[in-house]
Amino acid sequence: MAFSLEKFIHSLDLRALPRVLQIQSGIYCQGSVYEMFGNECSLSTGEVIKVIGFKINKLIASICENNEGSQFSAKVELPLNFPGLYKVVADKTPYVSIEEIARKVSIGPTRFGHPCFYSAKDIKLANFTIKHGEKITFNSVEEVNGTTAVNCVVVRNNQPHSFTLPLSQEGEFYECEDDQIYTLKEIAEWKIPKCRNRIVKLSNTLHMWDSSSPFPENFDGCLILMPVYDVQAVMKFRKDIVHILSDLDVEVKDITDCYDIGSFLQPLSLEDIFERTSKEFPMVAEIMEGPSGSQKPYNLLSTGKEIVIYKKYQAARVLASEMRSDSSKRHFLIPMSYKGKFKRRPREFPTAYDLQIARSEKEQLHVVATKAFVSLHKELFSVSVGDQFLVQQCQTSEVLYEGRKKLVDVLACEQILSDSYKKVLLPMYMEGGFVEVIHDKKQYHLSEICKEFHLPFNVKVSVRDLSIEEDVLAAAPGLQFEEEITDSYLLISSASCPAESWEIPVYRLNMLVHLLSKDVQTVVPPVTRTTVEEVSKEEYYMLRRYENLTLHPPPRPPKKPT
């Protein structure tokens, strides 16, 4: 049976890929070429393509029906980076089974992938009953003993109760109201179910009205969103990936079950390569779709180029940010092989508790107060701007509180006077401000800093890495080393002239290759070039988010006595 491409993609489950489609008809002249995203794609009747992926490219937005009185009736095309924050309106149409929810709704590991539903009737499980109207959070889908089920949680009396629901569970399930706000990109990636449109409400409409706004002035912020997908496909006699918009007016027929899918080239992502066993390396691959970016080695990874992939491994990086007060600060991942040197820069501490965290046995912490503080207790010191201290240790001290003696946590310090030192106690709850005084003039390699000091740590490049053509770190006014992380990398070189090798990140580089049945000329990789990777703001927050999942947060500072 033939379907429009749009209808087919809207109903297609990503887990069912790849699919082989035959073009049935379209509104085009013979030899017509569609130019999309720099890729030419000529679709003729009878042509066969293999769909390997799809993602939302843009959204078509229309005003909800309660705005029919408006002069505004045309649909608006919105890019995924269109500004604004949106609330998701719960879908009033029920789902009839857990299988339908799992098939149509995005369920994943992040907070965006935990949709909530309620059942119109009680659901009795073996040792648990879900009450009708009770909020059920769907956390993940997994297979247990050959049966696919959804891991769920309900919260009762602030206590979570976990259970599984099989896909075969039928009922009447409705979306719960969602009080969170999302960007349009987050909604496109996580909050638009398959085969359904999504109604959203702008939560900051007051900031939207200017001459460039595509919406009418009396618009109340309610939109119906319909996704348009970027479909990735492979054609029979081409070595590149073609991109087709799902609203292209052609009809297709699914012929996967009666077609030799192995006759197409097999595109592999870097994640697919990384999942291969270590014994399969090294290997030769041809790039089907290269990454964007002007810095090396990304500018060398163009479509059609052959590369050698020597091995896969985990490597340490230091996540660093520019020390700037504005929002345009840049973020970097620095390898341990970086050959430049750094000098220390003063750190800033907002509280006495931060001084306690930063102190080390290696050297005494010397700070200057930048904010005054008046102590509530005569036993504890009042700080003036310009006071200098040497931080000693954390201890407890007795203070008089409402006529009674009470123990509080304090930071023992030595105040530096003109010709002597004075022992003082600062309350740990003190909200002040301190700047470090640096006496250390030594220049450090990155590995030395990670070994000898606690992060975060402030530095400036004093000697740039001469092995890098353009050392982006040297131009930074200052850097804060935030944390050391471990990430996945592939070591590659050019197949035609393997003079040097490069480390490329597996999870931050969009690139597709297909493997070639060629022998690797040299199994030993050439010298590895150091690459400082600049990461986007979005990638930076994702790195911090996932790295911090395994870390326990520091204890909260003690509360100020009332």
Side-chain angles (χ1 to χ4, degrees):
M1 182 184 294
F3 298 93
S4 70
L5 179 62
E6 184 173 49
K7 185 175 181 180
F8 179 82
I9 295 298
H10 275 246
S11 62
L12 183 59
D13 189 340
L14 272 170
R15 290 169 292 188
L17 293 176
R19 308 303 295 177
V20 179
L21 306 182
Q22 186 178 52
I23 308 300
Q24 299 294 298
S25 64
I27 54 165
Y28 53 84
C29 302
Q30 186 174 2
S32 174
V33 172
Y34 296 93
E35 178 74 34
M36 301 166 207
F37 302 101
N39 293 279
E40 295 179 352
C41 182
S42 177
L43 299 178
S44 308
T45 299
E47 191 158 16
V48 176
I49 63 174
K50 182 173 76 168
V51 175
I52 59 171
F54 59 90
K55 61 182 179 180
I56 295 179
N57 173 272
K58 59 186 176 182
L59 295 165
I60 304 298
S62 53
I63 304 297
C64 285
E65 291 180 1
N66 59 354
N67 288 294
E68 285 179 343
S70 167
Q71 297 288 318
F72 188 79
S73 58
K75 293 180 178 179
V76 180
E77 186 177 294
L78 299 179
L80 299 187
N81 60 356
F82 187 78
L85 295 172
Y86 306 79
K87 291 192 75 171
V88 170
V89 178
D91 194 342
K92 299 293 189 289
T93 305
Y95 292 80
V96 298
S97 68
I98 299 300
E99 185 277 332
E100 185 186 7
I101 293 174
R103 179 164 41 88
K104 294 183 177 179
V105 178
S106 296
I107 302 173
T110 74
R111 68 179 180 88
F112 303 120
H114 297 161
C116 297
F117 291 83
Y118 66 88
S119 172
K121 296 180 180 178
D122 289 357
I123 301 175
K124 293 184 179 180
L125 305 176
N127 55 355
F128 196 70
T129 298
I130 305 168
K131 299 172 185 175
H132 66 276
E134 192 169 24
K135 182 178 179 180
I136 309 169
T137 302
F138 288 51
N139 285 334
S140 62
V141 181
E142 63 179 43
E143 190 172 310
V144 181
N145 299 326
T147 302
T148 305
V150 179
N151 293 316
C152 304
V153 171
V154 296
V155 178
R156 293 176 180 171
N157 299 322
N158 294 322
Q159 293 295 318
H161 300 272
S162 301
F163 57 94
T164 60
L165 288 175
L167 297 191
S168 57
Q169 178 72 50
E170 296 183 345
E172 199 174 315
F173 301 95
Y174 293 87
E175 268 191 332
C176 294
E177 294 292 338
D178 188 347
D179 59 357
Q180 299 294 312
I181 57 174
Y182 305 95
T183 64
L184 209 58
K185 189 173 187 290
E186 290 167 346
I187 290 173
E189 290 176 351
W190 291 99
K191 298 298 177 182
I192 298 184
K194 301 292 292 181
C195 301
R196 298 190 182 205
N197 293 332
R198 171 59 79 193
I199 299 177
V200 298
K201 182 94 173 178
L202 261 169
S203 66
N204 57 343
T205 53
L206 292 177
H207 303 293
M208 299 298 296
W209 312 132
D210 56 43
S211 58
S212 62
S213 173
F215 304 118
E217 290 187 14
N218 61 346
F219 171 52
D220 69 354
C222 198
L223 293 170
I224 303 174
L225 302 179
M226 186 180 76
V228 176
Y229 292 90
D230 172 21
V231 181
Q232 293 177 297
V234 179
M235 302 185 78
K236 192 70 183 244
F237 302 107
R238 293 179 61 163
K239 290 186 176 181
D240 56 344
I241 306 297
V242 295
H243 294 261
I244 309 166
L245 289 181
S246 62
D247 60 354
L248 188 66
D249 192 9
V250 293
E251 290 192 342
V252 297
K253 182 180 179 181
D254 190 340
I255 58 171
T256 307
D257 296 336
C258 58
Y259 201 88
D260 179 16
I261 202 166
S263 62
F264 286 91
L265 292 177
Q266 177 60 43
L268 299 171
S269 66
L270 297 186
E271 292 95 320
D272 296 328
I273 297 292
F274 195 81
E275 287 173 4
R276 302 241 164 175
T277 63
S278 296
K279 293 179 181 179
E280 296 178 71
F281 294 87
M283 57 183 71
V284 182
E286 182 178 348
I287 299 172
M288 298 183 71
E289 185 167 82
S292 58
S294 56
Q295 67 180 113
K296 282 189 175 181
Y298 306 150
N299 60 344
L300 305 176
L301 303 176
S302 54
T303 300
K305 186 164 184 131
E306 293 184 11
I307 59 172
V308 179
I309 307 173
Y310 291 96
K311 60 180 179 177
K312 65 172 187 175
Y313 52 91
Q314 302 282 320
R317 293 289 188 271
V318 170
L319 183 60
S321 297
E322 278 187 316
M323 292 171 59
R324 300 169 64 115
S325 57
D326 57 20
S327 60
S328 62
K329 68 167 63 175
R330 300 158 75 190
H331 309 283
F332 307 96
L333 281 174
I334 311 172
M336 291 300 172
S337 60
Y338 181 81
K339 299 177 183 63
K341 290 186 177 182
F342 302 92
K343 277 190 174 180
R344 296 173 61 176
R345 289 283 304 272
R347 290 172 286 178
E348 296 183 4
F349 307 100
T351 68
Y353 181 74
D354 293 295
L355 295 177
Q356 157 64 12
I357 294 174
R359 73 181 187 89
S360 71
E361 302 298 328
K362 184 177 182 295
E363 63 176 357
Q364 202 163 34
L365 183 60
H366 178 190
V367 295
V368 177
T370 58
K371 185 177 177 182
F373 170 79
V374 178
S375 173
L376 300 173
H377 309 285
K378 64 179 182 180
E379 299 90 344
L380 305 181
F381 191 69
S382 292
V383 176
S384 301
V385 174
D387 285 350
Q388 296 191 45
F389 303 94
L390 296 176
V391 178
Q392 302 288 329
Q393 62 189 21
C394 175
Q395 61 188 55
T396 56
S397 177
E398 282 188 344
V399 297
L400 200 61
Y401 175 66
E402 293 183 348
R404 288 183 172 185
K405 290 184 176 181
K406 183 178 179 180
L407 282 176
V408 296
D409 291 329
V410 296
L411 190 65
C413 300
E414 287 186 339
Q415 184 189 12
I416 302 174
L417 303 174
S418 57
D419 55 356
S420 62
Y421 296 91
K422 176 183 177 183
K423 292 187 179 297
V424 298
L425 299 176
L426 302 181
M428 200 70 81
Y429 61 79
M430 168 187 170
E431 294 179 2
F434 302 91
V435 172
E436 183 180 21
V437 178
I438 301 292
H439 301 283
D440 182 3
K441 305 300 181 185
K442 181 181 173 183
Q443 298 182 107
Y444 292 90
H445 287 291
L446 181 61
S447 57
E448 293 176 313
I449 291 174
C450 293
K451 184 178 179 181
E452 297 181 23
F453 301 100
H454 293 294
L455 302 187
F457 199 74
N458 296 349
V459 298
K460 178 170 174 48
V461 173
S462 56
V463 178
R464 76 178 194 88
D465 187 341
L466 297 176
S467 71
I468 303 176
E469 285 185 15
E470 184 182 353
D471 187 349
V472 291
L473 301 182
L479 294 166
Q480 182 175 75
F481 292 164
E482 298 184 14
E483 59 186 317
E484 190 175 338
I485 69 168
T486 302
D487 208 358
S488 304
Y489 290 88
L490 295 172
L491 186 65
I492 68 161
S493 75
S494 167
S496 58
C497 49
E500 53 194 15
S501 61
W502 305 85
E503 291 178 323
I504 58 173
V506 172
Y507 298 108
R508 288 184 302 282
L509 202 61
N510 292 320
M511 178 171 152
L512 290 172
V513 302
H514 73 95
L515 298 181
L516 302 176
S517 53
K518 288 185 177 182
D519 293 331
V520 178
Q521 299 300 317
T522 172
V523 178
V524 179
V527 61
T528 303
R529 290 290 299 269
T530 298
T531 306
V532 175
E533 181 188 356
E534 183 172 351
V535 295
S536 67
K537 194 173 291 294
E538 184 180 32
E539 290 169 335
Y540 165 77
Y541 286 118
M542 293 299 285
L543 285 165
R544 296 298 311 257
R545 176 190 297 177
Y546 288 128
E547 192 68 21
N548 289 332
L549 285 177
T550 59
L551 300 177
H552 295 292
R556 296 182 65 181
K559 292 183 179 179
K560 181 177 178 179
T562 55

